[in-house]
Amino acid sequence: MTKTILITGSSRGLGATIARTLATQGHNVIINYFKSKDLAKQLVREIGESQAIALPADITDRNQVDEMIAHATEHFGQIDAVVNNALVGFKFDPTAQKAFIDLSWDDYQQQLDGTLKGAFNVTQAVIKQFITRKTGTIVSIGTNLYQNPVVPYHEYTTAKAGLIGFTRNIAAELGQYGINANVVSGGLLKTTDASAVTTQEVFDLIAQTTPLRQVTSPQDVANMVSYLISDQAKGITGQNFTVDGGLTMN
């Protein structure tokens, strides 16, 4: 069954891998971007204009999100699923990460806005059509760092932990309308734009302490997202799935 899926922050990195994976399976994809217009347009050409559209929106701006949802819905007829993937202003750089004593609340606020406010805006903007059709899927991208902070990325990890609470409340309230909501929490991904500055020593350490002896790839996470969007996962909601090769075990 062909579905139409919005992936926020999908012009590059993990989001682009998710978009490619879903398109390969025959789905339509809405590639949301903020600044990377050229990369988004290039991805549309790669996938094919019959299956993909690139739309700009700052997900922390509700008006821009509403315009994006309206445009995408008009273009494809409806939206069947949302992947809250966008990462706002953060790099996984253990040498540059501030110690807690040096952080300001603004550092936290930026991640809370990008992660939680962004997910709130996008989810609330699309939820009316999900309720009307009594079906819909929300997948949000988390992190295993909330469970195992091998590097204390304080502000990023705190925001992502909040995303799990947000998702479980959505799942509890909206399940009556056939709406599923889950989180996919990857390990440190090798390699995306956000992890490009991560040292090889950190990657090697993670690989050595992981049961599968390998660092998680963007494709590993994309495969789980794809499954949760499929009809085979309609009985699953309110869950946090960790995809990190067994580094953390629930």
Side-chain angles (χ1 to χ4, degrees), residues 67-81:
E67 289 178 10
M68 175 179 64
I69 295 297
H71 190 163
T73 302
E74 180 180 0
H75 183 84
F76 283 117
Q78 65 186 48
I79 298 172
D80 300 292

Side-chain angles (χ1 to χ4, degrees), residues 10-239:
S10 53
S11 62
R12 56 185 177 171
L14 174 60
T17 300
I18 293 171
R20 289 188 186 97
T21 300
L22 293 169
T24 298
Q25 295 168 355
H27 299 301
N28 301 320
V29 292
I30 302 150
I31 299 163
N32 159 249
Y33 67 93
F34 180 40
K35 295 180 179 178
S36 303
K37 180 178 180 179
D38 291 343
L39 289 176
K41 297 293 186 182
Q42 179 180 325
L43 186 55
V44 169
R45 289 192 295 269
E46 176 187 332
I47 291 171
E49 293 184 0
S50 64
Q51 268 186 279
I53 184 174
L55 295 176
D58 175 356
I59 60 167
T60 66
D61 185 321
R62 181 57 182 268
N63 289 332
Q64 291 186 38
V65 169
D66 285 341
E67 289 178 10
M68 175 179 64
I69 295 297
H71 190 163
T73 302
E74 180 180 0
H75 183 84
F76 283 117
Q78 65 186 48
I79 298 172
D80 300 292
V82 165
V83 181
N84 291 310
N85 165 76
L87 176 61
V88 176
F90 194 83
K91 295 288 185 183
F92 299 104
D93 186 347
T95 61
Q97 171 64 30
K98 295 178 184 177
F100 176 73
I101 195 69
D102 298 319
L103 285 166
S104 69
W105 182 249
D106 286 343
D107 294 316
Y108 277 84
Q109 193 67 58
Q110 182 183 42
Q111 292 309 305
L112 290 169
D113 285 349
T115 296
L116 288 176
K117 186 178 181 181
F120 170 85
N121 285 340
V122 173
T123 302
Q124 197 175 69
V126 79
I127 211 70
K128 286 183 180 179
Q129 59 180 281
F130 286 5
I131 291 173
T132 298
R133 296 198 311 274
K134 296 195 181 313
T135 186
T137 303
I138 302 156
V139 179
S140 297
I141 302 300
T143 179
N144 70 345
L145 288 170
Y146 88 97
Q147 188 175 348
N148 182 30
V150 290
V151 178
Y153 293 120
H154 300 276
E155 63 274 45
Y156 169 82
T157 305
T158 300
K160 290 294 191 180
L163 191 60
I164 295 174
F166 170 83
T167 299
R168 287 178 173 164
N169 279 282
I170 291 294
E173 179 177 328
L174 301 178
Q176 62 185 308
Y177 303 109
I179 297 168
N180 302 68
N182 294 287
V183 177
V184 177
S185 292
L188 179 65
L189 302 182
K190 188 175 182 179
T191 306
T192 65
D193 289 350
S195 65
V197 293
T198 300
T199 62
Q200 187 59 44
E201 288 76 15
V202 171
F203 283 125
D204 289 344
L205 175 64
I206 292 173
Q208 291 165 12
T209 56
T210 298
L212 292 180
R213 298 297 188 269
Q214 62 188 25
V215 178
T216 309
S217 72
Q219 190 62 58
D220 293 330
V221 175
N223 291 341
M224 177 56 79
V225 172
S226 173
Y227 172 68
L228 290 173
I229 286 173
S230 74
D231 289 341
Q232 284 73 29
K234 287 302 289 182
I236 302 171
T237 198
Q239 305 303 311

